[in-house]
Amino acid sequence: MSMDPAATAALYASHVLKDGDSFLVANGYGDIEEGSTGMFRDDTRLLSIYRLRLGETVPALLSAAVTEDNVFFLAHLTNRQLPPLGGSEAPQGLVHILRSRFLHDERMYERLAFMNYGNAPLTLPVRIELGADFRDMFEVRGMVRPARGELLSTPHTAGSHTVEFRYRGLDQVMRASVVAFSREAHRVEGRMLEFLFPLVPGEEVELFVEVGSEAGPVPSRATHRTAAAQARRRMRSRGRRGARVRSNGPLFDAWMQRSRADLALLTSELETGPYPYAGIPWFSTPFGRDAVITALQTLWLDPGIARGVLGFLAAHQAQEESSFLDSAPGKIMHETRKGEMAAMKELPFGRYYGGVDTTPLFVMLAGAYARRTGEMAFVDRLWPALRAATGWIERVCDANANGFLDYARGESTGLSNQGWKDSEDSVFHADGKFPPGPIALVEVQGYAYAAFRAMSELAGLRGEIEDAQRWDARANRLRETVEARYWMEDRGFYGIAVDGKGALCEVRASNPGHLLFCGLPDPARAASVAAQLMLPEFHTGWGVRTLALGEARYNPMSYHNGSIWPHDTALCAAGIARYGHRDAAVTLLRSAFESAVNFDMRLPELFCGFPRVQGAPPIAYPVACLPQAWAAGAPFMLLQACLGVEIDGLRGEISVDRPRLPIGIDEVRLLDVALGNDRVDLRFRRIDGRVAMFVDGRGDRVPPVRLRN
């Protein structure tokens, strides 16, 4: 059957729901059509086919969307021409179908409502096609396994309200998917169920569907409404955490609220506290690096995320050496998976430690959390994990001839590149050749420097003066060595890495923007890096490219060699602003905002790095995660870079350094900002070309605010 362009677009559109360790990706009709769509739990696809048909036809789509709070998927459909079923045929557009769906407690709930707007009775043939392949997420991504487990599906029987699929994996775990209906089907053919609904004019008929790993009561309107109310309350509770951003710009506010809603969607409540899962569909699981950066992006507004991330990562810190897992005592986790392939060790990602930067970022976050909140009691509980993490950093640096923090994967199954740009071709020399390992990335040295500085500060606060002095000295030595070995004098920029033979990869990439974020470069060099990041070789008008135009391996359609990652742009902006170039941060915020407008107010994981063309939108990257945690957190880091707000819980004060407002926005309000037990509202307003700030306390005490304008 040929499809019109709108129908084709709907077929390839994707709509996402998530709850806990379950998520669902469907097309614009709400159907699951294999490919990368499906209902997943614990890295396993529990539902691979779920199609709604009216007889033999696909309904016509009127509209489809996920609600602003990310709780409900709603699709409005209508019938195409229906064949006669004992009466006259029904022309197109007489039956309205509302498909309403949500996830709650690892279970999908759906309501299908059918309304006859015609003048005559009709019988509506509703068919639902089902399938469950129980494929591991890595199979869905394209990996081919030499062997799989056994499908043990139970056929649907007449008079039953359920269809059950079962699968015994090679790990001997029995996985099940149970699809339950509020009505019995009139006809069953294999995995196709047909329901015949007589509809008189003006009548609505409902069908409730539930999908989960276990059978439950027969679906009903009551169970559906109860679960829907609970799902909305939970999401509303997550979305209310932390301070809120408001402005005089409705579209800007919509961007901020969408980003906040996406973070609420991606955040799961674990025993250790809230934890933002990395992204849907490929990375809906705890990642170390992604969560730490997301926590850094949102720390000024919501320290609770940072606390949850630190608690979880400390609880899962490596205790032993394993080349397969790339683990060593003290190292912080990169990724964890719960699927069959991880359980069978077909890949190392059950609990994998192959990220060189996660450990120093963990220590950085702990230091930043202590400064933001002043909660030294929590830091005291983390202290053994922080010392172990810093011990790992020191051991690796001591083994490197230059004192750098480097990486080399333990086995071929691990990641070959272990920084945030972890694709195989992301680190290279100026001629495009790949360097020998171990590799010492420039931004990782910045993270290590910041980690030593954080440990020095925290040890001083704990009265451990000798350790504080030792870590401060290590930070200073590392800083001097980085300045000596990575700086390219002729290009006024830092190289991307030093290889295993001590040679510098003389490539201009966005990585030194992270070095600025950590505060390592001297001011003159920082100014040179900041200026170049804003040139057309890097800044496309939509954001900062990961690799400068003209470098070897540059490709604006690649994953890491010329694409734009919003979190990377935000870190660069924060680094540039740290050195006083706040107007550049305003420009980068505007670029990100205008990009988001073209992506339905939601920044994707990445998009292509083509230069901006007047009147044309940014170019999407086909398989980018959407939503993605550190992309959703990027707007908040960009805004902080513009406003220059720092909240110091140790001193009990707020400092604001030369604030700038976003272009086109004349007022920004930060509502319910926490400082210890106090709450405060901050208002920034453009008056006569300057930005004025007003402080409103929410209690008996207004904390001191230092303003530099």
Side-chain angles (χ1 to χ4, degrees), residues 189-245:
E189 289 184 4
R191 299 291 173 255
M192 188 280 293
L193 291 79
E194 184 172 65
F195 303 83
L196 298 178
F197 295 137
L199 293 176
V200 301
E203 181 184 18
E204 182 180 74
V205 174
E206 295 175 316
L207 177 66
F208 293 95
V209 187
E210 294 182 20
V211 184
S213 297
E214 301 174 349
V218 174
S220 67
R221 176 184 291 185
T223 58
H224 185 92
R225 293 181 67 176
T226 298
Q230 293 172 346
R232 176 153 270 169
R233 278 197 299 270
R234 283 188 187 178
M235 189 68 79
R236 190 174 295 151
S237 175
R238 291 202 295 268
R240 285 175 174 168
R241 276 200 299 253
R244 305 180 305 283
V245 178

Side-chain angles (χ1 to χ4, degrees), residues 449 453 474-484 519-523 579:
Y449 164 79
R453 292 292 302 271
R474 285 207 74 134
N476 290 330
R477 286 198 305 273
L478 181 58
R479 180 183 208 163
E480 291 171 1
T481 311
V482 169
E483 293 282 45
L520 185 148
D522 75 34
Y579 284 86

Side-chain angles (χ1 to χ4, degrees), residues 394 452-461 463-477:
E394 291 177 308
F452 288 137
R453 292 292 302 271
M455 288 298 286
S456 175
E457 181 180 9
L458 293 174
L461 291 169
E464 300 175 14
I465 305 304
E466 189 173 317
D467 281 338
Q469 293 172 341
R470 177 171 62 85
W471 282 318
D472 184 61
R474 285 207 74 134
N476 290 330
R477 286 198 305 273

Side-chain angles (χ1 to χ4, degrees), residues 68-70 235 239 256-266:
E68 289 183 358
D69 59 6
N70 283 321
M235 189 68 79
M256 289 290 160
Q257 290 167 24
R258 182 64 178 264
S259 301
R260 187 184 179 99
D262 282 351
L263 285 173
L265 173 73
L266 291 166

Side-chain angles (χ1 to χ4, degrees), residues 319-394:
Q319 304 296 324
E320 59 185 7
E321 295 271 355
S322 169
S323 60
F324 180 67
L325 300 178
D326 274 316
S327 68
K331 205 172 180 185
I332 297 298
M333 184 197 77
H334 168 70
E335 174 182 1
T336 182
R337 296 282 183 172
K338 299 179 181 178
E340 179 186 358
M341 293 178 69
M344 294 300 297
K345 293 185 167 53
E346 296 174 39
L347 37 78
F349 304 125
R351 189 178 294 172
Y352 181 59
Y353 293 85
V356 69
D357 49 3
T358 309
T359 306
L361 282 168
F362 168 77
V363 179
M364 274 181 66
L365 178 62
Y369 178 83
R371 287 190 296 275
R372 170 63 180 85
T373 66
E375 291 184 16
M376 288 302 297
F378 179 65
V379 172
D380 290 343
R381 293 199 293 274
L382 287 178
W383 195 243
L386 291 169
R387 290 194 73 102
T390 309
W392 176 81
I393 298 170
E394 291 177 308

Side-chain angles (χ1 to χ4, degrees), residues 521-541:
D522 75 34
R525 290 181 174 181
S528 178
V529 171
Q532 291 190 52
L533 288 172
M534 298 306 295
L535 293 176
E537 289 89 342
F538 276 109
H539 183 222
T540 68

